[in-house]
């Protein structure tokens, strides 16, 4: 029987399998190559003479039934193009001169197009949704989405088979890069794949108290850093944002790639403005997972600025604080590169929630009474003078000589005393500073004994620019008011001596009794006072 049913044609001699023109059915069709929109049909002569014309037919029905599209050719192949994507077709071939003399019916389907534009949204800590475009595939196309933390998909593979253009995955590891293998599966089972990858989010940082340092023209925020390991509990850094909008639609930001960091500073804030603050732990793509730290109000906008040149830069600012009448900053040549903008701002809304230091007992001269010095992130390369003119009423009941200026150290969340001179006749407080930050004068209470003497910085590295060890002087604090400090060489030679006053603070500027800078080395400091004596070593590194 031929493929259409009925008896085979018979030749005049009665031999089966041939027609009166001695033609036979072509060899069975082979379908190759197959693409998303075309299939090539190939056949052999089946014993027919060369030069015979053939008709190849394609149908959309099973078993070569249904609508027929034909191609007439002298070749032993025919290409059917513009076919529907991912659709089953049947094919057969006959000699053009002999209707009904078909070879076998062969079936295949066009391929599915590879999915387009794979993406990941939303992505959370332990889950994500994968999305893609169908790229012209019909609705019945099935997709296989596979995720693995291994780029070669050798382990940890999770998969989803779906007729949708998305797939949801849960139970994933935090801060882990997942690789995507996305396939469109054709009716014939062949796959067209695309690849991509994305990491899940890290855990958000933990909150800390206090969340903010005293807020002026900048915010320093604090949080609890994530663990260094395992990876699912870690991150790749942090991003801090401060925004005047509660939805953070626009924000000032700072980032760090240090996963152990627990604080960052954002500057450029406007005065008397509420800022919302959040910090996010970054994943491998630098995408943050935020926790909102709260909001805070910056203070009024008293500030001034100037640009450094070849001479001294002097800044003066009328004080908004009752404790002071004005403040001034003297910047010597070379302290900053020429053209640096230096800003002195009294819009420091100190809450003084951290009115403490391990260098003595301190009390502020008044609420919010301080100044913020900045130079676009640059630090001075030479000591500067910061001057406060205090109101006599602000020191009523106190000895002005007990006033010492302190610098706020965000990393330690406390204040550090800086070398200070008080002129009670001129009502001035002059501090020698080597590092820009927040500054405020404090009343310092002398200690009753030598049991808690503090010496800093140790080692003392004057002129190095090191924020931890560079200072204008070596400071001895938490002393009794009658304390005396004497400096000796390691061989016992006298170098310098000084006495404490009402503040219980003594500073050594590093010069010997003849006014010459003492050399680098180790010295012996002998401290006496309140009937006691204490000896310690100090180191000078120039």
């Amino acid at each position: 029987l031929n493929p259409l049913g009925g008896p085979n044609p018979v030749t005049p001699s009665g031999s089966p399998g041939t027609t009166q023109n001695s033609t036979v059915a072509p060899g069975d069709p082979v379908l190759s190559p197959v693409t998303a929109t075309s299939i090539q049909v190939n056949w052999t002569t089946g014993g027919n003479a060369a030069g015979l014309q053939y008709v190849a037919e394609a149908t959309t029905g099973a078993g070569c039934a249904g609508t027929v599209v034909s191609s007439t050719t002298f070749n032993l192949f025919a290409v059917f193009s513009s076919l529907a994507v991912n659709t089953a077709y049947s094919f057969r071939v006959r000699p053009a001169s002999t209707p009904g003399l078909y070879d076998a019916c062969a079936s295949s389907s066009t391929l599915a197009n590879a999915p387009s534009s794979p993406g990941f949204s939303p992505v959370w800590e332990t889950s994500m949704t994968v999305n893609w475009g169908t790229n012209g595939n019909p609705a019945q196309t099935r997709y296989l989405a596979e995720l693995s933390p291994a780029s070669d998909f050798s382990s940890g593979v999770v998969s989803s088979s779906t007729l949708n253009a998305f797939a949801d995955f849960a139970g994933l590891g935090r801060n882990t890069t997942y690789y995507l293998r996305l396939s469109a599966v054709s009716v014939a089972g062949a796959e067209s794949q695309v690849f991509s990858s994305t990491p899940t989010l890290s855990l958000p940082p933990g909150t800390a108290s206090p969340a903010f340092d005293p807020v002026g023209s900048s915010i320093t925020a604090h949080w609890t850093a994530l663990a260094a390991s395992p990876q699912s509990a870690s991150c790749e850094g942090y991003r801090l944002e401060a925004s005047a909008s509660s939805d953070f639609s626009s924000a000032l930001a700072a980032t760090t790639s240090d996963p152990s960091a627990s604080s960052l500073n954002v500057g450029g804030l406007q005065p008397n403005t509420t800022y919302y603050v959040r910090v996010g732990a970054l994943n491998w793509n630098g995408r943050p997972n935020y926790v909102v730290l709260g909001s805070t109000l910056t203070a009024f906008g008293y500030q001034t600025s100037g640009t450094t040149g070849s001479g001294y830069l002097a800044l003066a600012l009328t004080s908004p604080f009752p404790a002071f009448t004005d403040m001034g900053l003297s910047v010597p040549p070379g302290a900053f590169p020429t053209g640096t903008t230096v800003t002195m701002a009294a819009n420091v809304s100190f809450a003084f929630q951290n009115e403490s230091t391990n260098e003595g007992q301190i009390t502020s001269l008044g609420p919010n009474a301080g100044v913020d010095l900045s130079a676009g992130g640059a630090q001075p390369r030479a000591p500067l003078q910061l001057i406060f003119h205090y109101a006599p009423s602000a020191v009523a009941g106190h000895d002005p000589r007990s006033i010492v200026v302190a610098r706020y150290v965000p990393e330690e969340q406390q204040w550090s005393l800086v070398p200070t001179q008080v002129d009670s006749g001129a009502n001035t407080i002059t501090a020698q500073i080597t590092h820009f930050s927040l500054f405020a004068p404090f009343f310092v209470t002398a200690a009753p004994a030598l049991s808690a003497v503090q010496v800093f910085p140790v080692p003392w590295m004057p002129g190095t620019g090191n924020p931890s060890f560079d200072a204008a002087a070596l400071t001895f604090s938490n002393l009794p008011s009658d304390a005396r400090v004497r400096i000796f060489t390691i061989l016992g030679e006298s170098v310098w001596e000084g006495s404490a006053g009402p503040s219980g603070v003594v500073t050594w500027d590093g010069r010997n009794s003849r006014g010459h800078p003492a050399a680098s080395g180790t010295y012996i400091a002998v401290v006496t006072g309140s009937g006691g004596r204490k000896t310690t070593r100090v180191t000078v590194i120039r």
Side-chain angles (χ1 to χ4, degrees), residues 252-355:
L252 298 166
T255 61
T256 176
S257 59
D258 181 3
S260 66
S262 59
S263 66
L264 271 177
N265 178 273
V266 174
L269 308 184
Q270 297 299 312
N272 196 30
T273 302
T274 296
Y275 280 89
Y276 301 87
V277 184
R278 65 182 183 180
V279 63
L282 303 178
N283 68 1
W284 289 100
N285 264 2
R287 183 181 172 188
N289 191 11
Y290 288 107
V291 60
V292 176
L293 301 179
S295 63
T296 186
L297 178 67
T298 56
F300 32 79
Y302 285 87
Q303 71 177 42
T304 186
S305 61
T307 303
T308 58
S310 58
Y312 273 84
L313 171 63
L315 299 180
L317 183 65
T318 300
S319 171
F321 308 116
F324 318 127
T325 58
D326 59 76
M327 295 164 280
L329 179 68
S330 179
V331 183
F336 292 99
T338 298
T340 300
T341 298
V342 178
T343 299
M344 180 168 59
N347 58 352
V348 181
S349 181
F350 290 108
F352 282 105
Q353 69 268 34
N354 292 313
E355 191 175 321

Side-chain angles (χ1 to χ4, degrees), residues 241-474:
E241 290 189 350
S243 174
S245 303
S246 59
D247 62 358
F248 293 89
S249 54
S250 62
L252 298 166
T255 61
T256 176
S257 59
D258 181 3
S260 66
S262 59
S263 66
L264 271 177
N265 178 273
V266 174
L269 308 184
Q270 297 299 312
N272 196 30
T273 302
T274 296
Y275 280 89
Y276 301 87
V277 184
R278 65 182 183 180
V279 63
L282 303 178
N283 68 1
W284 289 100
N285 264 2
R287 183 181 172 188
N289 191 11
Y290 288 107
V291 60
V292 176
L293 301 179
S295 63
T296 186
L297 178 67
T298 56
F300 32 79
Y302 285 87
Q303 71 177 42
T304 186
S305 61
T307 303
T308 58
S310 58
Y312 273 84
L313 171 63
L315 299 180
L317 183 65
T318 300
S319 171
F321 308 116
F324 318 127
T325 58
D326 59 76
M327 295 164 280
L329 179 68
S330 179
V331 183
F336 292 99
T338 298
T340 300
T341 298
V342 178
T343 299
M344 180 168 59
N347 58 352
V348 181
S349 181
F350 290 108
F352 282 105
Q353 69 268 34
N354 292 313
E355 191 175 321
S356 64
T357 176
N358 59 11
E359 299 164 4
Q361 181 181 340
I362 61 175
T363 305
S364 65
L365 270 66
N368 306 327
V371 65
D372 184 2
L373 303 179
S374 61
Q379 293 295 340
R381 300 182 295 198
L384 288 72
Q385 282 193 338
L386 176 61
I387 303 173
F388 298 86
H389 282 86
Y390 64 86
S393 59
V395 298
H398 296 270
D399 189 327
R401 294 175 300 165
S402 68
I403 299 174
V404 180
V405 175
R407 173 175 70 92
Y408 190 75
V409 184
E411 297 79 9
E412 300 176 3
Q413 299 187 44
Q414 63 177 0
W415 298 88
S416 180
L417 305 179
V418 300
T420 305
Q421 297 293 325
V422 178
D423 186 336
S424 57
N427 296 338
T428 60
I429 308 164
T430 303
Q432 302 291 324
I433 64 174
T434 59
H435 193 82
F436 275 5
S437 182
L438 313 179
F439 293 87
F442 291 88
F443 295 113
V444 180
T445 302
L450 296 175
S451 57
V453 173
Q454 296 291 317
V455 184
F456 56 92
V458 178
W460 180 30
M461 303 169 64
T464 63
N466 187 312
S468 299
F469 304 108
D470 186 10
L474 184 69

